[in-house]
Amino acid sequence: MRIRDIEPISIAYPDPNDFNVVRRTVLVRVETTDSVIGWGESIAMWPEACKAVVAIIKDGYLPLIKGDAVDDITAIWNKLRAHSHWYGEGGIASMAISGIDMALWDIKGKVAQEPLYQLLGGLAHEKLPANASCHVNKLGEAACVAEVVAFFEAGFNSVKLGFAKTGDSNIGGDPDTDVHFIKELRHALGNEAEILVDIGNGVRWDVSTAIAVGRRMSEYRIGWYEEPLYHTDDAGYQALAAADIGVRIASGEREFTATGYRRQMEFINAVDVYGVDPARVEGITGFRRVDALATAHGKVVNAHAWSTAITTAASLHLSLASPNTELFEFKPFPVIVQDELVAEKIWHQEGWAYPISKPGLGIEVNEDVVRSLAE
């Protein structure tokens, strides 16, 4: 069975998780000579980046691997990386590889009639706690607290809070405001609820501020403290780790390759929890390499799933097959690319994320919805 065609499809959709801001991504449809279809995703996000991913796949990668045996995924992965050596090793090329690789693994599972997690060695977890991964963006602290409380009332076992996002909230960037919010949230939720804090891309603190805020938030037993500094501030993260602030440090979501994660783990060694996105880090194959590094270095891996149901499915299989994961993130508000893009929504059951047992990624993509969102 060989690759007949690869179709990259740039889509745009309104996201209620961020006041209907328009989000973009590239879906990748791979068809074999036996008419088996596999789906992947390349989270390029910005209009120009999505166009670049589409061009790389159509004009560069498809001519290179058309006719290749679909089950030789490692050889194809290596061929794509070698071809793009001049502009690859991170960025647009890595995202383009991600979508193709993910789709090939989907095909491999469908042909074998095995779910992806089985191809990855089986389940390391029977289930994972479901995390409501939200952006703190409502008007006023009380409304933001009430929203998070409602997530737990709806059955979630954990919450991750993204600060300084699109919306009406003033939470994110002012240390006193941010710490007070966590204090009030802990009071409202009680002692047992898991609270994870993602300071995020919209905040620019110096090292001393990041240390001080981390220590103050640790008093309210947050589970981890994500990206309080710019993700490439190596010296800053080393200083943060050396300060022993009393809470785990998380980062890594914006890395693109196993090489980048190896550098982080072996030479910087300042992060405890690594975000990894299979639609960004060169697919299932790339994720597995990062996960192996995490095993070797005793690190926690947190799979990114904050896009379409295609990435959510891949991330769920990878998370359940990894010994290094602790939870699984869901978008808590309905969105078309989670609810309607696939025949059966991927969702938690009473606060837990369970395996998808169908072959491959285990999803049936509604192509009519894909075409309706295409740009």
Side-chain angles (χ1 to χ4, degrees):
M1 189 183 303
R2 298 186 177 276
I3 295 173
R4 172 185 288 159
D5 192 26
I6 304 174
E7 183 184 8
I9 308 164
S10 181
I11 67 169
Y13 59 94
D15 194 337
N17 289 272
D18 269 333
F19 292 91
N20 285 324
V21 66
V22 174
R23 292 189 177 276
R24 290 174 170 84
T25 189
V26 177
L27 306 184
V28 181
R29 182 185 186 273
V30 176
E31 183 175 355
T32 75
T33 50
D34 288 3
S35 299
V36 180
I37 306 297
W39 287 92
E41 183 172 356
S42 306
I43 302 182
M45 195 172 294
W46 305 116
E48 69 278 14
C50 289
K51 290 176 183 177
V53 165
V54 169
I56 288 172
I57 292 174
K58 287 177 65 175
D59 301 333
Y61 291 165
L62 174 56
L64 184 70
I65 62 174
K66 185 174 182 177
D68 283 8
V70 294
D71 60 348
D72 202 352
I73 297 175
T74 300
I76 291 173
W77 189 83
N78 285 324
K79 183 187 285 191
L80 297 178
R81 294 190 86 247
H83 174 79
S84 53
H85 74 279
W86 191 256
Y87 59 87
E89 196 61 40
I92 304 298
S94 291
M95 287 187 281
I97 292 170
S98 296
I100 294 172
D101 184 84
M102 194 183 297
L104 292 175
W105 278 99
D106 187 26
I107 290 169
K108 184 172 183 176
K110 288 174 177 176
V111 171
Q113 285 295 296
E114 295 278 5
L116 177 59
Y117 69 77
Q118 201 65 47
L119 302 181
L120 304 178
L123 295 173
H125 312 273
E126 294 298 323
K127 60 183 180 179
L128 285 169
N131 174 278
S133 183
C134 66
H135 289 170
V136 183
N137 55 18
K138 301 304 184 290
L139 182 61
E141 181 184 77
C144 293
V145 169
E147 181 174 80
V148 176
V149 170
F151 295 147
F152 283 92
E153 291 174 345
F156 283 98
N157 275 316
S158 171
V159 67
K160 190 171 95 167
L161 310 167
F163 286 6
K165 303 297 184 180
T166 300
D168 299 325
S169 175
N170 64 344
I171 295 168
D174 175 67
D176 291 338
T177 300
D178 298 348
V179 173
H180 191 268
F181 168 62
I182 296 300
K183 175 183 177 181
E184 291 302 302
L185 186 58
R186 175 55 72 196
H187 177 74
L189 292 173
N191 292 330
E192 301 304 316
E194 182 175 59
I195 301 171
L196 312 175
V197 176
D198 179 3
I199 300 301
N201 191 46
V203 177
R204 290 289 182 271
W205 286 336
D206 58 24
V207 175
S208 61
T209 302
I211 291 171
V213 174
R215 283 176 173 156
R216 292 171 68 187
M217 286 189 177
S218 72
E219 297 177 17
Y220 304 107
R221 297 173 301 286
I222 63 173
W224 72 58
Y225 186 46
E226 187 169 342
E227 286 197 348
L229 301 169
Y230 194 65
H231 65 104
T232 57
D233 185 359
D234 297 340
Y237 277 100
Q238 286 178 321
L240 186 62
D244 193 19
I245 62 175
V247 61
R248 294 182 297 174
I249 300 167
S251 187
E253 181 181 299
R254 286 180 279 177
E255 283 285 1
F256 288 98
T257 66
T259 303
Y261 283 95
R262 179 179 293 108
R263 174 181 165 277
Q264 286 282 334
M265 294 183 196
E266 292 183 359
F267 300 107
I268 309 304
N269 193 26
V271 172
D272 305 295
V273 181
Y274 285 89
V276 189
D277 190 331
R280 176 184 179 92
V281 72
E282 299 179 338
I284 306 297
T285 300
F287 190 107
R288 295 180 76 199
R289 292 176 181 233
V290 176
D291 195 38
L293 287 169
T295 297
H297 293 278
K299 303 297 184 180
V300 174
V301 165
N302 183 48
H304 198 244
W306 227 75
S307 187
T308 81
I310 295 172
T311 292
T312 296
S315 290
L316 182 55
H317 284 284
L318 286 160
S319 295
L320 289 164
S322 167
N324 304 308
T325 54
E326 296 180 349
L327 54 85
F328 190 75
E329 296 183 25
F330 292 91
K331 281 190 173 187
F333 295 113
V335 57
I336 188 170
V337 294
Q338 290 285 340
D339 296 20
E340 299 176 41
L341 188 72
V342 292
E344 186 176 346
K345 180 179 180 178
I346 302 169
W347 197 236
H348 69 92
Q349 300 174 42
E350 299 181 343
W352 296 93
Y354 287 93
I356 306 171
S357 60
K358 295 177 182 177
L361 292 179
I363 53 175
E364 180 184 343
V365 174
N366 293 324
E367 291 203 35
D368 288 346
V369 174
V370 173
R371 304 300 172 185
S372 73
L373 298 175
E375 290 193 298

